[in-house]
Amino acid sequence: MTTAYVGIDPTADSLHIGHLVSIMLLKHLQAAGHKPIALVGGATGMIGDPSMKSAERNLLDEQTLNHNVACIKKQLERFLDFDSKEPNAAILVNNYEWMKGYSFINFIRDIGKHITVNYMMAKDSVKKRLSAESREGMSFTEFSYQLMQGYDFLYLNEHYGCKLQLGGSDQWGNITTGTELIRRTSGGEAYALVCPLITKADGGKFGKTESGNIWLDPAKTSPYKFYQFWLNTSDADAERYIKIFTLLPIEEIEALVRQQAEDPGLRPLQKKLAEQMTIMVHGQEALDTAIEASQILFGKGSTETLRKMDEQTFLSVFEGVPTFNVSRDLINAGVPVADLLTTHAAVFTSKSELRRNVAGLQINKQKVAAPEDVVDASALLDGKYILVQKGKKNFYILVVA
């Protein structure tokens, strides 16, 4: 049994899917009988890793970091077994615990003397920031980051018998500083294992969308949006991602690849990838809700499905749909469809247009029988929304306030 660790920078109170590669490495490691350590960098997070960065980041205070660490632990528990009585149960550590009482004088005397400035300057992360590409230069604070991360490895090596550090390839310089520090101080065994940074087939950055990161926290990225992200990956990306991010046997993946080749329109790879990822991060119930929500846009959803949806999912599904503000007094009193969707919300340009198209008109996924039908407060979703559908693909939201 080997003990290995991954460092996670707690700059936010949620992990995003960019963290999943190294987390999946720990998950595979534990499944194979080895012991994973997840290190949340409460101390190093106060400094900021210069790797792959062109400018110095804002420093976080202790209260914010403690909040972020607690949130991240809850998310890691979906991937790693921290509670098992087996010898390879996962451990969560915070490097603030061993750095908070370490004086600057003692640190530079005990640790700094083992690593030369020449060695630190040779790292790509440092050279890039000192090159002409970066106008900002590099503060001593950031320059010291690799020494602190190196000390984390030394500390875990001495106190937990940790021999292996895992991470993305952008961490190679920081990780090998740790192996070098262990070699020069205790002469112990230490190894580095990195994986390539994941990119999209078109060269774009993985996990980034127009609206920002895809987070694991359902309050930041709804399970519906999370599901849709994986469902909408390209064929080439889906074939790579399903091998990296799921625990499916390779034989099953190869069968899905063959199905995809035979009938790409069915998208079996994307469907299985989206299903597996949503269950792993959010659970079966969230997956069921995401699938039901997806069906609404394709005419298969029902009023019951709409009423079960929480507000965040509802707004995620209909993001970008035209909205109209309508008076609550009007809805409470009851208003005919013909007046509501012309005078108060311009879904139709006139009542005559509405009458001509009434056969294709739905309110909250229920067909409107006649223009005289009355809409009242019983139609409200989440107490303030009404969904109007005109034809197969045109949706509108009435916001009642």
Side-chain angles (χ1 to χ4, degrees), residues 326-336 339-340 344-345 375-377 400:
V326 177
S327 159
R328 185 170 291 277
D329 291 341
L330 180 79
I331 298 299
N332 286 342
V335 58
D339 291 334
L340 177 63
H344 304 286
V375 177
D376 58 26
V400 180

Side-chain angles (χ1 to χ4, degrees), residues 41-179:
T44 39
M46 289 181 167
I47 290 177
D49 182 3
S51 303
M52 310 297 281
K53 306 288 190 306
S54 59
E56 187 158 350
R57 68 176 59 178
N58 293 327
L59 307 185
L60 301 178
D61 59 62
E62 188 176 340
Q63 185 180 355
T64 303
L65 280 164
N66 288 339
H67 167 73
N68 293 355
V69 168
C71 294
I72 287 169
K73 187 187 179 189
K74 282 185 183 177
Q75 292 179 342
L76 287 171
E77 285 170 350
R78 295 200 69 90
F79 299 88
L80 302 171
D81 178 9
F82 289 93
D83 300 323
S84 171
K85 292 180 181 175
E86 298 297 320
N88 73 325
I91 300 171
L92 182 83
V93 295
N94 181 349
N95 61 12
Y96 184 71
E97 293 304 312
W98 56 81
M99 289 303 300
K100 64 183 178 185
Y102 208 160
S103 76
F104 179 70
I105 291 174
N106 287 338
F107 184 79
I108 58 173
R109 186 191 63 190
D110 300 343
I111 306 304
K113 69 180 181 182
H114 294 289
I115 301 292
T116 64
V117 170
N118 309 55
Y119 179 86
M120 294 172 74
M121 293 280 286
K123 301 293 184 181
D124 288 339
S125 59
V126 174
K127 285 196 288 189
K128 184 179 178 183
R129 286 291 295 277
L130 295 179
S131 71
E133 289 178 47
S134 174
R135 296 178 184 175
E136 304 284 331
M138 176 184 264
S139 68
F140 176 76
T141 305
E142 282 194 312
F143 183 62
S144 66
Y145 185 94
Q146 62 168 294
L147 206 55
M148 288 183 69
Q149 185 169 328
Y151 178 64
D152 285 343
F153 199 174
L154 174 63
Y155 184 92
L156 294 177
N157 183 267
E158 291 177 344
H159 291 81
Y160 294 89
C162 180
K163 294 181 180 179
L164 175 64
Q165 186 178 169
L166 310 164
S169 56
D170 61 323
Q171 290 296 307
W172 180 256
N174 293 333
I175 295 174
T176 52
T177 297
T179 60

Side-chain angles (χ1 to χ4, degrees), residues 7 44 150 213 240 257 270 279 323 328 349 355:
T44 39
N213 285 320
R240 288 170 59 234
V257 170
Q270 285 92 337
I279 288 174
T323 61
R328 185 170 291 277
T349 55
R355 288 190 181 93

